[in-house]
Amino acid sequence: MGKPLSKRVIITWVILTAAMIVYMVYMPFLIKDGADKSEYYGWMKSEPEAFTGQITVWHIVSFKPYVGSAGNWLANCAAPIEKKHFGVYFKVEAMSTEDCEARMQNGERADIYSFPAGWCSGEKLRTMNLTQKPAMKSSFVSAGEYDGEQHAIPYLYSVYNLLISSAIASEKSVQLPSDGMSAEFVADTAEKLDFSRKSGRVYGMSGNAVLAALYGVHGDVTQINSFRDSDASMAFADIRFMGDLDRLNKLGKGIEHSSYTVTCYTDLVQYIGIDSETDDSKLSYCNEFISNVLSEKMQRTIPELGVFYTVELPDELVFEQETVQKMYDAAKNVPFANTFALYDNRDEISRLTAEALKGSDEAKGKLISLFCELVTGFKIE
């Protein structure tokens, strides 16, 4: 009779046997999961993709969200499409309008563009055929139509605020309204708060020049950072500037100010569309990506950036940032123009803005009339 096995050997055999059982049970699932990600397994699929390779997305930036990156958000929208379609990849690149223009002059193009209002003509983009049509206000949908067809669609937007330095207003004995602003107040206050100090000039207005002209401001409109540096008394500011001020205020380095949300119109709108020369083999993937950008699931995450969503949701979302929530409550129905109409009229808008700021009431009147044609519901009071 052989020598009985030691207790240590028995325990070792029990552990090895248990490990083998676990291995045999779970290994098929691990192999399948790895195979799903394997290029060789992909090649063996019975139904190959119509296209494999890279689809480029240019995120063209003229304004930024309150916080975070819309470019990263778009990359998150691409992830489930890449997972669903073997060998299809999306490359999202963020760039300024100037960088985009330079690359296009060198002959480069993207497949999909995320772009600001008024960036391009309707001919540059092709008709969209979304896999799922989003529930969206008709005015939002029409903002991306060209010749009766959908060439682009807005997926996020924001609004401007008029900021007035509390310290400078107090210094010049200007009483600030508590219940909104009128065009007369904006124009008169910008004039009163434009003055010179020993250290240099304090501009009456900074930021968006078109809004300044529409509200009847005369004189120079300086760059937005002048307000932060106390070299400008007022500013038509976008949402990122508002966010930067809030963050500076928390550090005790901000500018105490009064804020009034602009509700007459906004061009802080980001659209998405497909390049007119994008290969047909890529179209189904491009449309699927855009459909995901506009899906309820992804649109529900847009408030994390501190900007507004464009689709109609069954419940109104709450914004984490108090500043953004106040702006949304005041201007969630703000109108905006058709993006291609803005592009077609860009030179006239620029010309009339310059003349109106120089003091031409005729140019101001024509500018207001033009915006009344471009923006349904536009009104300056």
Side-chain angles (χ1 to χ4, degrees):
M1 188 171 179
K3 185 178 180 181
L5 296 175
S6 68
K7 185 176 181 180
R8 177 179 296 178
V9 172
I10 292 173
I11 292 173
T12 301
W13 276 106
V14 169
I15 292 173
L16 289 173
T17 301
M20 287 295 294
I21 292 172
V22 171
Y23 176 85
M24 293 173 67
V25 170
Y26 287 101
M27 183 50 68
F29 298 101
L30 296 175
I31 292 174
K32 183 181 184 303
D33 182 61
D36 286 341
K37 299 175 182 177
S38 166
E39 57 181 315
Y40 302 108
Y41 179 78
W43 289 342
M44 292 186 291
K45 282 187 174 181
S46 57
E47 295 183 7
E49 299 290 349
F51 165 82
T52 56
Q54 182 173 274
I55 294 174
T56 55
V57 182
W58 285 4
H59 175 54
I60 304 160
V61 181
S62 69
F63 72 97
K64 296 180 180 180
Y66 181 94
V67 67
S69 165
N72 290 341
W73 184 86
L74 286 170
N76 290 336
C77 292
I81 315 302
E82 294 175 330
K83 185 176 181 180
K84 180 179 177 182
H85 299 287
F86 171 77
V88 178
Y89 306 97
F90 289 83
K91 182 180 181 181
V92 179
E93 295 183 77
M95 63 191 72
S96 67
T97 52
E98 293 79 13
D99 289 341
C100 176
E101 182 179 355
R103 292 180 67 167
M104 286 187 157
Q105 287 179 349
N106 288 332
E108 295 183 63
R109 299 178 81 105
D111 297 306
I112 299 173
Y113 301 105
S114 160
F115 62 93
W119 172 68
C120 71
S121 65
E123 294 94 339
K124 188 171 188 61
L125 306 176
R126 64 188 303 162
T127 303
M128 304 169 80
N129 184 23
L130 303 182
T131 55
Q132 294 181 353
K133 292 191 176 181
M136 187 179 290
K137 295 175 184 176
S138 60
S139 60
F140 287 4
V141 174
S142 62
E145 289 181 349
Y146 178 74
D147 281 349
E149 295 183 327
Q150 203 73 46
H151 281 220
I153 199 160
Y155 69 91
L156 65 79
Y157 71 106
S158 183
V159 292
Y160 292 93
N161 267 27
L162 174 68
L163 311 181
I164 305 176
S165 167
S166 300
I168 297 176
S170 177
E171 177 185 342
K172 292 298 180 179
S173 301
V174 172
Q175 187 70 32
L176 301 181
S178 58
D179 57 350
M181 60 178 184
S182 65
E184 182 180 6
F185 167 79
V186 173
D188 290 347
T189 305
E191 183 177 0
K192 291 176 183 176
L193 299 185
D194 193 320
F195 61 98
S196 295
R197 289 175 171 159
K198 289 182 179 179
S199 57
R201 179 180 178 183
V202 177
Y203 290 84
M205 183 61 72
S206 64
N208 188 276
V210 175
L211 279 174
L214 287 167
Y215 274 89
V217 174
H218 294 165
D220 298 325
V221 177
T222 191
Q223 52 92 21
I224 188 72
N225 287 335
S226 296
F227 181 85
R228 184 191 59 200
D229 299 333
S230 295
D231 293 328
S233 306
M234 303 169 68
F236 279 112
D238 67 16
I239 197 133
R240 175 52 71 95
F241 190 80
M242 298 288 294
D244 290 343
L245 281 186
D246 283 351
R247 288 181 278 274
L248 285 172
N249 285 338
K250 289 180 180 178
L251 298 173
K253 300 178 181 180
I255 299 291
E256 186 177 348
H257 61 275
S258 292
S259 178
Y260 307 89
T261 301
V262 178
T263 60
C264 63
Y265 126 96
T266 186
D267 62 358
L268 299 176
V269 186
Q270 200 73 17
Y271 293 81
I272 195 161
I274 303 170
D275 187 273
S276 60
E277 296 184 10
T278 295
D279 192 88
D280 288 350
S281 63
K282 299 180 181 180
L283 289 184
S284 63
Y285 308 102
C286 292
N287 283 308
E288 189 172 351
F289 169 74
I290 294 172
S291 291
N292 197 41
V293 167
L294 297 166
S295 68
E296 179 178 338
K297 180 180 178 180
M298 294 310 302
Q299 286 279 302
R300 282 185 173 277
T301 65
I302 280 182
E304 296 172 10
L305 300 173
V307 288
F308 309 157
Y309 49 95
T310 59
V311 303
E312 293 184 343
L313 301 176
D315 56 313
E316 278 204 350
L317 304 185
V318 176
F319 294 85
E320 180 181 333
Q321 307 88 356
E322 181 181 358
T323 298
V324 179
Q325 186 67 56
K326 288 181 178 178
M327 294 170 69
Y328 179 77
D329 291 341
K332 59 186 173 184
N333 294 316
V334 64
F336 41 83
N338 177 284
T339 180
F340 307 122
L342 276 182
Y343 176 84
D344 292 340
N345 288 276
R346 67 194 185 284
D347 292 337
E348 183 69 357
I349 291 172
S350 179
R351 182 184 70 81
L352 292 174
T353 295
E355 292 183 7
L357 291 174
K358 290 178 181 178
S360 170
D361 290 335
E362 181 182 1
K364 173 193 167 186
K366 288 182 178 180
L367 186 63
I368 291 175
S369 295
L370 178 57
F371 270 84
C372 286
E373 294 176 10
L374 296 175
V375 183
T376 302
F378 177 83
K379 190 175 183 181
I380 293 280
E381 297 179 331

